[in-house]
Amino acid sequence: ATPVALVHRGTETGQRTLVGTLSGIVEQFKEAAFQPPAIIITGQVVKLREQLQWFEKRPLFGKRIVVSRAREQASLFAEKLETLGADILEFPAIKIVPPLDYGPLDRAIDMLESYRWVIFTSINGVEHFFDRLREKGGDIRDLKGAAICAIGPGTKAALEKRGLRVDCVPSEYRAEALVEQLHGKISPGDRVLLPRADIARDVLPAELAEMGAVVDNVHAYRTVRGDGDAKILKQQVAAGAIDMITFTSSSTVHNLLAAVNENLEQISLAAIGPITAAALREYGLEAAVEADEYTIDGLVEAITAYWRRRQC
């Protein structure tokens, strides 16, 4: 009657635990098709399992989740999910690279003092703009006189880290909300600089032009297809080993689905916001999870809430 427990792959996402007594554990072992590696624990300490099984009680325990962000940005997101118990498969669907031609950005940097507004739409835009500004011998003092706008708290934090005060952050982290907030603030003839991705949507420059602004929409970086291993991802999807795929931008949707476009109906899909969710609908797919706050933290919170509801 001595309590005994078998722990398979302890402290890994695939951990399984079998509890019984010495007289019956062999039969249980056979029925459960238990496999090594495993540890065997015997004695009264096994009875403490119900109070102490913190590892298996994490909200994402046992869930295999694909992170499709660019490789250099995936670590923080993956770490947050792993802390909650998820097993992560990284599939970098996009890669951030310099623009094909620095000419338009360089010309904008040369005339920074002429801009009334500078609008940053992403952390990538901030980093690539200031990298180029530094390469050309400039620094934040060249932005004197310009109002600074940022879409999203991450973009704002990246600017503040460089010693800049951000004048405008929309309550919703998308172009439409920023346009609404800038109504009445931008005057006809104001010069506006938009250093952003080559594939960014046209909503922002078009709406700013409608207000009478003179908009310089320049490419600070490019988003290209990443180097995720499509063969591994296809195998995992076909085997039913993936519980969720996460998307943090429209480009992650387009590039991942270009690599893997079948058997996804049975997998839960998570989108960082409505624009990304709309990109999924272009392929006839619906996001099971759409973050209310369009940030990585907001997406992690939404994913956690989703799996908690499923478990209930």
Side-chain angles (χ1 to χ4, degrees):
T2 301
V4 60
L6 274 65
V7 182
H8 169 70
R9 292 193 178 278
T11 74
E12 293 185 11
T13 306
Q15 176 177 309
R16 292 174 61 202
T17 306
L18 197 63
V19 177
T21 60
L22 283 175
S23 62
I25 197 65
V26 171
E27 194 60 35
Q28 287 178 256
F29 176 89
K30 292 176 181 177
E31 289 177 4
F34 228 67
Q35 298 292 326
I39 322 171
I40 302 173
I41 303 164
T42 60
Q44 298 304 312
V45 69
V46 172
K47 293 183 177 179
L48 295 175
R49 168 174 158 73
E50 288 304 314
Q51 298 102 289
L52 300 180
Q53 58 173 323
W54 62 272
F55 188 80
E56 294 172 345
K57 288 182 176 178
R58 293 181 298 171
L60 301 183
F61 176 76
K63 301 295 180 288
R64 191 134 216 248
I65 298 178
V66 175
V67 170
S68 60
R69 288 192 102 192
R71 192 177 299 280
E72 60 269 20
Q73 296 177 318
S75 298
L76 180 60
F77 185 27
E79 183 180 324
K80 288 176 182 290
L81 295 174
E82 284 176 332
T83 299
L84 294 168
D87 178 26
I88 301 301
L89 174 62
E90 288 193 21
F91 181 86
I94 60 173
K95 187 176 181 180
I96 307 302
V97 298
L100 289 172
D101 178 13
Y102 271 117
L105 178 59
D106 287 348
R107 287 191 289 273
I109 288 174
D110 289 339
M111 51 187 284
L112 272 182
E113 291 186 15
S114 70
Y115 291 106
R116 176 68 184 85
W117 300 85
V118 182
I119 300 175
F120 294 94
T121 59
S122 69
I123 298 174
N124 288 321
V126 173
E127 292 177 348
H128 284 262
F129 173 82
F130 283 100
D131 284 348
R132 190 62 179 173
L133 177 62
R134 187 167 53 252
E135 285 176 17
K136 286 179 61 64
D139 59 31
I140 62 172
R141 291 172 294 183
D142 296 323
L143 287 165
K144 60 182 180 293
I148 307 295
C149 297
I151 294 183
T155 308
K156 179 186 177 187
L159 289 163
E160 290 177 338
K161 190 181 295 184
R162 287 168 169 81
L164 289 164
R165 184 179 65 191
V166 178
D167 302 285
C168 178
V169 181
S171 54
E172 284 189 45
Y173 313 136
R174 54 181 181 153
E176 290 83 351
L178 180 59
V179 168
E180 187 177 332
Q181 193 161 334
L182 289 176
H183 268 293
K185 295 181 180 179
I186 288 185
S187 303
D190 280 354
R191 294 191 66 90
V192 179
L193 176 60
L194 275 175
R196 57 187 197 146
D198 60 325
I199 60 171
R201 296 187 302 143
D202 294 329
V203 172
L204 192 51
E207 291 290 339
L208 292 171
E210 282 287 321
M211 297 181 201
V214 179
V215 183
D216 285 339
N217 180 31
V218 300
H219 299 163
Y221 64 96
R222 288 184 300 133
T223 300
V224 299
R225 185 172 294 184
D227 55 1
D229 192 324
K231 182 179 179 181
I232 290 177
L233 182 57
K234 283 181 178 179
Q235 289 172 345
Q236 293 283 303
V237 168
I242 302 297
D243 297 292
M244 175 173 276
I245 301 175
T246 62
F247 300 94
T248 54
S249 66
S250 298
S251 52
T252 61
V253 172
H254 300 314
N255 291 345
L256 186 142
L257 295 183
V260 181
N261 56 10
E262 49 189 37
N263 301 319
L264 298 183
E265 294 79 7
Q266 305 304 315
I267 298 175
S268 300
L269 308 178
I272 199 168
I275 305 301
T276 306
L280 283 168
R281 285 194 291 274
E282 293 177 22
Y283 296 87
L285 298 168
E286 285 294 329
V289 173
E290 184 180 321
D292 293 327
E293 180 184 302
Y294 317 147
T295 64
I296 291 302
D297 285 339
L299 183 56
V300 170
E301 184 178 333
I303 290 170
T304 304
Y306 170 79
W307 286 113
R308 278 181 171 147
R309 289 195 301 271
R310 290 283 299 268
Q311 287 166 358
C312 290

